[in-house]
Each structure stands twice: as structure tokens, then as C-alpha cells.
Amino acid sequence: MSISSRFAVAIHILALLDINKEGRNTSEFIAGSVNTNPVVIRRVIGLLGKAGLVHTSPGVGGASLARLPREINLLEVYRAVQNDPPGELFAAHDKPNPKCLVGRNIQETLDTVFKRAESAMENELAKVTLDQIVFDLVRGDQ
Amino acid sequence: MSISSRFAVAIHILALLDINKEGRNTSEFIAGSVNTNPVVIRRVIGLLGKAGLVHTSPGVGGASLARLPREINLLEVYRAVQNDPPGELFAAHDKPNPKCLVGRNIQETLDTVFKRAESAMENELAKVTLDQIVFDLVRGDQ
DNA sequence: ATCACCTGTAACCATTGTAGTTACAATTGT
DNA sequence: ACAATTGTAACTACAATGGTTACAGGTGAT
Ligand code: FES
Ligand code: FES
């Protein structure tokens, strides 16, 4: 299955926080932009907050970036909103038969390959920073 | 969420077909090795068959590789058993608000980044062939 | 021809992750 | 006090997954 759209939504939110940094970005306002429910936004922002990427103001309302856009890369965002722990992009089939030559060794063999593939993907995400996203976004609008 | 364990199972099956190429590899025999239900195996083998990676013998029973292990790489296996079409590893959030600067352009911007990350992962899979897997498997058993 | 064995596939189930929604306590500025 | 907003719990609907039973149809052996 696909990687959760929380990731896309998270990037959307962060980009919006940067672009609209003058305004007050309440979950309802953001929800209007993303076109979803405010609670969905608050959930994602909660994850981003735990990861130290955004600050929120309970009571007063609104969220803001906790770092410069240049210092936030997509791998951090990915990790923040991803439920599965790192190294488990590919599911292993559990309890292979230890009496079987393949079963005894497949896990370790696959682990190496899977980790390599996963890292390759993550490295690409790590290369991209939020300010590049925003730049691309604004440029695309002209 | 993780990528389906069908991928891991498929690799397991293919490795077994190569290693046990003398014997008759029925779905029941393979299921014993993988430690799952024969129907699960037949389902995966069905997908591998459609992709031209294995041959099966209805009636008589058993499956075998349709190509040399050296000529099967893991990307082909991945594609064979993956339900989601290529280019959709990352889910986009649909219907972003076109009245919003971010919403208008986020899809295209993300698409570029996501495709790059997905390709990086797939390139790693493409580098690995079945005979490398089998080699690693057998070596690990000693 | 019958028989045992196997594949291919449909049908069903339980489990899980996801996204949307309602509801509400707690927080904060006015 | 009051209005607005966050953080969270609870519930729903939905889709993918993996396991399971069942069975029609193919194939070789006797
Ligand atoms: S245990 Fe996975 S194939 Fe033998
Ligand atoms: S943030 Fe996704 S549409 Fe404005």
C-alpha cells in the first residue's frame, strides 16, 4: 500500500505556515486550504510538534514553524508523520520455516536489500528542504 | 503502511524454486517452507506467472522459474506483486483547494519529489538479481 | 474410466491502518 | 464571563491484507 497521505498533508501544512507566516494559521484555516477536516490537521500538527518542527498556541490558536524552512528537510517530515518505525518500509513475512534452507536465511538476506532500498529513498527526501518546496510552489504559480 | 509482505514471500518462492529445481514445487510444499497457507502461495505464484517469471503446471502440479536467476531482478518481482501502480508509492491528498496558492501547486511540486524518491528505491531493487539472493542465502547457511 | 493430486479462483472472515466526523475538556486573550 | 482554539477521545466508513474453506477443471497413473 501507499505511504500515508499524512506525509503530503504535512508538507502542505508546513509550506502554508511559511507562506502565510504573517497570518494566524488555525487548524480551521489550514483545513480550508488543504480541503479536509480541522481535526485531521490538528492530528498532523500534533505529530509535527512532537518532532519539534512546529509550535502551536493552545487557547490563542495558530501554528508556526519552529525552524527556518531551509533547516527542515522532507526526511524529517516523513519520520514525524510516519507510524511505522524506520527500517520497516518493506514487510517481512514472519516465522519462516527454520527447517528450510531458504527459511533459515531469507530474513537476513532480505533485510540487507530492503534496508538499502529504503535508505536510497530516504536519502532523496533528505536532499529536499522546505524552502525548496516553497520556492517551487511560488514559481509554479506564475 | 508497509509494502505488502507478498514481495518478501515472492522472493522466498523464487529462491526456493531455484534451489529446489530438481523437486516438484507444489503450492503445498512451498507453503510449508514459507509457513503459510497454500492458497496464499498460489495467489503470489499467479502474479509471478502473469509477469512471466514462473511457469506452472495445472493438473500435474509444481512451478518453476521461467528465466535464469541471473535474469530476474527484484524490481521485476516488486512490480509483479505490487497492487499499486508505479508512481504511487506516496499518496497525494486529493482535491487541494485551488483558491489557495499552496493548493494550486502542491500536487505538481510533490509529484516531482515523490517520483524521484520512489525511483531511487526502485533502482536499488533493480540492481539485485535472484541469483545474488540465492548465493547470499546459501552462503549464510554455512 | 476412474482415481488421486494439483492448480486457479471465488467467497468469506478477521485484522489493521486510514481519514473523516462529532464532542468536549482545557487553555488563553479580551 | 466569554469567545475562540487546541488537544484528544470516540466513533464511523472504507480499503488492503492475509488466512481459510470450497470447488471446478486439468493431468497423469493405474
Ligand atoms: S521460509 Fe520463506 S521460503 Fe522457506
Ligand atoms: S495546503 Fe493542500 S491545498 Fe492549500
Side-chain angles (χ1 to χ4, degrees):
Chain A
M1 259 212 294
S2 299
I3 285 164
S4 161
S5 74
R6 274 194 305 272
F7 184 34
V9 172
I11 299 173
H12 193 133
I13 293 172
L14 294 171
L16 192 54
L17 291 187
D18 185 43
I19 289 173
N20 189 42
K21 59 170 96 63
E22 320 301 337
R24 192 166 55 106
N25 295 288
T26 66
S27 63
E28 187 159 357
F29 169 74
I30 301 176
S33 175
V34 178
N35 192 24
T36 182
N37 192 287
V39 177
V40 173
I41 300 296
R42 292 205 286 271
R43 278 203 284 244
V44 173
I45 286 187
L47 294 170
L48 295 174
K50 274 183 202 159
L53 299 178
V54 301
H55 289 135
T56 59
S57 314
V60 55
S64 58
L65 294 182
R67 295 191 219 154
L68 293 176
R70 168 168 26 99
E71 288 161 353
I72 297 177
N73 70 62
L74 296 195
L75 178 55
E76 297 176 278
V77 181
Y78 175 73
R79 286 259 156 80
V81 300
Q82 191 68 8
N83 264 352
D84 302 322
E88 295 186 15
L89 176 61
F90 297 90
H93 76 293
D94 44 75
K95 339 182 227 76
N97 189 340
K99 289 183 213 144
C100 158
L101 163 63
V102 181
R104 263 196 305 275
N105 302 284
I106 190 85
Q107 306 278 29
E108 205 183 328
T109 296
L110 289 186
D111 204 55
T112 305
V113 177
F114 285 173
K115 283 225 168 67
R116 199 142 47 202
E118 184 171 349
S119 295
M121 182 207 76
E122 292 181 347
N123 285 341
E124 287 300 314
L125 295 182
K127 280 184 197 165
V128 183
T129 57
L130 182 57
D131 69 326
Q132 288 176 267
I133 295 287
V134 172
F135 179 81
D136 206 75
L137 227 44
V138 173
R139 196 196 44 179
D141 202 55
Q142 288 157 3
Chain B
M1 258 210 295
S2 299
I3 285 164
S4 163
S5 75
R6 275 194 305 272
F7 185 34
V9 171
I11 298 173
H12 193 134
I13 293 172
L14 293 171
L16 192 55
L17 291 187
D18 184 45
I19 289 173
N20 189 43
K21 59 170 94 63
E22 321 301 337
R24 192 165 56 105
N25 295 290
T26 67
S27 64
E28 187 160 357
F29 168 74
I30 301 176
S33 176
V34 177
N35 191 25
T36 183
N37 192 287
V39 177
V40 173
I41 300 297
R42 293 206 284 271
R43 279 203 282 241
V44 173
I45 286 187
L47 294 171
L48 295 174
K50 274 182 203 160
L53 299 177
V54 301
H55 289 135
T56 58
S57 315
V60 54
S64 57
L65 294 181
R67 295 192 219 154
L68 293 177
R70 170 169 24 102
E71 288 162 353
I72 297 177
N73 71 62
L74 295 196
L75 179 56
E76 297 176 278
V77 181
Y78 175 74
R79 287 258 157 79
V81 300
Q82 190 68 9
N83 263 353
D84 302 320
E88 295 187 16
L89 176 62
F90 298 89
H93 77 293
D94 43 76
K95 336 184 230 76
N97 188 340
K99 288 181 217 148
C100 158
L101 163 63
V102 182
R104 263 196 306 275
N105 301 283
I106 190 84
Q107 306 278 30
E108 204 183 327
T109 296
L110 289 186
D111 204 55
T112 306
V113 177
F114 286 173
K115 283 225 168 66
R116 199 142 49 202
E118 183 170 350
S119 296
M121 182 208 76
E122 292 182 346
N123 286 340
E124 287 301 313
L125 295 181
K127 281 183 196 166
V128 183
T129 57
L130 182 57
D131 69 326
Q132 289 176 269
I133 295 287
V134 171
F135 179 81
D136 206 74
L137 228 44
V138 173
R139 198 197 43 178
D141 202 54
Q142 287 156 3

